[in-house]
Amino acid sequence: MPRLLLPLTRAVTYTRWLHLLVGSIVPFVCAMIYPGLSRPSAADWVLIAVLPIPLVLAAAVVPETRRAEGLQARLMLFPGPHARVPGEEDPGVSAAPSASWSDRARTGAWLVLRLEAGLAVALVTGQLMALSLSLAGAAAGEPAVGDAPLRVSGTGWAYALLIPVPLLVLAALGAGAGALMAEAARRLLGPSPREQLVQLEERTERLLERNRIARELHDSLGHALTLAVVQAGAARTAGDPDFTDRALETIEESGRAALEDLERVLMVLRETARPPGARPALGDAGRLLDSARSSGARIDAEVTGPLERVPGPVSREGYRILQEALTNVLRHAGPVPVRVRIAVDEARLRLEVRNPLSAAAALAVTGGGSGLRGIRERAALLGGKARTEPDGGQWLVHVDLPLR
């Protein structure tokens, strides 16, 4: 029994009932004009239910009608802030204007259903409440008044026991009708195939953005930590105060850059109004090369072609690819000679990083990892290709990215 009474404790049960009653306003207003509400016959009630249909179908043609109905359905037919139960993340009801005649047709069907269901619920509500009042009058010894179909003609205290029955029946009918209307709203006001495609594209964009942020944090923080570890180890081994000062300076600079990247990413996640700082691009590659040199690596760098002509997205991803490649060199091979080649022509950006490959380093890097996978993913997202493989006793990272 408590489980059966559970809907009576939910606020959404009563907002659904109210939503149904609001739907009866139009037919009652029309009935006041014709055929009138003074002793209507059964035929009059049929006419009252039919006459407003052309009016609501005409309203369904207006695109904004679908938005208004969707917002009402979301607010009143589904659990939300007004309910004492957890709300659904997505009720499956669109709040966008009609974009096609299919949307208008479904909106028209919804309006007709809401009109007829609202009228029926309003009539049943009035009759059951009148019956409950009639039972109360009979229990008090007052004769029944009016000509409602549901009324009590006798009197007696025993009628007091029956007073709650019509109200419980009304609550059960209201809860059931509200649940059916919520399901109908999902079907008739739910997103169209076009809206579903847009939602899927937006969800895909969010997932891609999360993956991009994860890669950026991995590349930036991983580079800074790897550089700090290598510098600290080299400074301890060297035992030279000047070298130690330079190492600490490099650790400080790389740590500050990593903190800036972290703050920028956190600003994006927080969606603050402040514009995030500019992401580093290939024009800032000198900072990466200087950091690697300060760690003891001998960098032979060659840049050909105009870097300023590289589109922003390609330049930024190229920077991250170079950062990850140098990080892998320091992590797996240590301070070894590194050859870096960046070439830009009219159609493509080519980036190549080579370093000697020892047996231990070969075993480490050929095992894969998120860094190498991130390089290939970045290249693939831009329509390019990336190769990460041993090549003649060296480890090769070769990336080819289109500029258009």
Side-chain angles (χ1 to χ4, degrees), residues 166-250:
L167 299 179
L168 291 176
V169 172
L170 175 59
L173 290 177
L180 291 176
M181 286 297 290
E183 184 61 30
R186 289 192 180 98
R187 295 180 180 274
L188 297 177
L189 296 179
S192 63
R194 179 181 178 183
E195 292 172 336
Q196 292 175 352
L197 180 60
V198 171
Q199 291 175 0
L200 180 60
E201 290 176 349
E202 291 176 350
R203 183 173 180 271
T204 302
E205 287 294 329
R206 289 195 297 269
L207 291 176
L208 289 175
E209 180 66 12
R210 290 179 183 177
N211 289 335
R212 184 188 66 78
I213 290 173
R215 284 197 303 269
E216 288 221 3
L217 286 177
H218 171 271
D219 293 347
S220 178
L221 299 183
H223 175 78
L225 291 175
T226 299
L227 193 62
V229 170
V230 173
Q231 288 281 8
R236 185 181 61 181
T237 302
D240 182 358
D242 293 335
F243 184 85
T244 300
D245 289 340
R246 291 195 300 272
L248 291 175
E249 182 180 355
T250 301

Side-chain angles (χ1 to χ4, degrees), residues 350-362:
R350 294 179 176 85
L351 190 151
E352 183 177 288
V353 179
R354 289 179 175 269
N355 64 276
L357 186 62
S358 64

Side-chain angles (χ1 to χ4, degrees), residues 135 138-139 155-163:
L135 289 170
T155 59
W157 65 267
Y159 286 108
L161 301 176
L162 299 177
I163 294 175

Side-chain angles (χ1 to χ4, degrees), residues 35-343:
L37 293 175
S38 177
R39 299 180 181 274
S41 64
D44 290 335
W45 283 116
V46 172
L47 191 60
I48 291 171
V50 172
L51 279 180
I53 291 180
L55 180 63
V56 297
L57 290 179
V61 177
V62 180
E64 290 299 325
T65 301
R66 183 167 179 259
R67 183 198 296 272
E69 290 298 319
L71 291 174
Q72 287 185 63
R74 282 186 172 188
L75 177 64
M76 304 185 73
L77 294 181
F78 299 95
H82 54 281
R84 294 183 179 180
V85 294
E88 302 175 29
E89 293 184 0
D90 184 7
V93 174
S94 174
S98 298
S100 65
W101 284 106
S102 175
D103 291 343
R104 293 178 174 89
R106 292 198 299 156
T107 304
W110 164 256
L111 289 175
V112 172
L113 174 62
R114 185 179 178 189
L115 182 150
E116 304 298 346
L119 180 60
V121 169
L123 294 176
V124 171
T125 299
Q127 293 301 318
L128 289 176
M129 293 187 71
L131 176 59
S132 185
L133 291 175
S134 182
L135 289 170
E142 295 291 336
V145 294
D147 56 355
L150 299 178
R151 65 184 187 276
V152 179
S153 58
T155 59
W157 65 267
Y159 286 108
L161 301 176
L162 299 177
I163 294 175
V165 174
L167 299 179
L168 291 176
V169 172
L170 175 59
L173 290 177
L180 291 176
M181 286 297 290
E183 184 61 30
R186 289 192 180 98
R187 295 180 180 274
L188 297 177
L189 296 179
S192 63
R194 179 181 178 183
E195 292 172 336
Q196 292 175 352
L197 180 60
V198 171
Q199 291 175 0
L200 180 60
E201 290 176 349
E202 291 176 350
R203 183 173 180 271
T204 302
E205 287 294 329
R206 289 195 297 269
L207 291 176
L208 289 175
E209 180 66 12
R210 290 179 183 177
N211 289 335
R212 184 188 66 78
I213 290 173
R215 284 197 303 269
E216 288 221 3
L217 286 177
H218 171 271
D219 293 347
S220 178
L221 299 183
H223 175 78
L225 291 175
T226 299
L227 193 62
V229 170
V230 173
Q231 288 281 8
R236 185 181 61 181
T237 302
D240 182 358
D242 293 335
F243 184 85
T244 300
D245 289 340
R246 291 195 300 272
L248 291 175
E249 182 180 355
T250 301
I251 292 173
E252 180 184 4
E253 291 177 354
S254 61
R256 185 179 294 110
L259 286 175
E260 291 176 356
D261 285 342
L262 179 61
E263 178 63 22
R264 176 180 52 78
V265 171
L266 291 178
M267 286 171 59
V268 173
L269 292 177
R270 294 173 187 145
E271 298 181 347
T272 59
R274 294 171 51 198
R279 293 171 55 195
L282 280 177
D284 306 309
R287 186 179 70 182
L288 288 178
L289 301 178
D290 291 340
S291 297
R293 289 190 181 101
S294 66
S295 299
R298 296 184 295 278
I299 306 294
D300 175 18
E302 178 182 341
V303 179
T304 58
L307 286 180
E308 64 275 6
R309 289 185 51 204
V310 180
V314 178
S315 184
R316 291 189 290 268
E317 294 303 315
Y319 177 93
R320 292 304 186 190
I321 290 172
L322 176 60
Q323 183 181 54
E324 182 60 33
L326 293 176
T327 300
N328 282 338
V329 172
L330 295 174
R331 181 181 298 150
H332 300 297
V336 298
V338 182
R339 180 183 176 185
V340 177
R341 296 292 182 265
I342 302 175

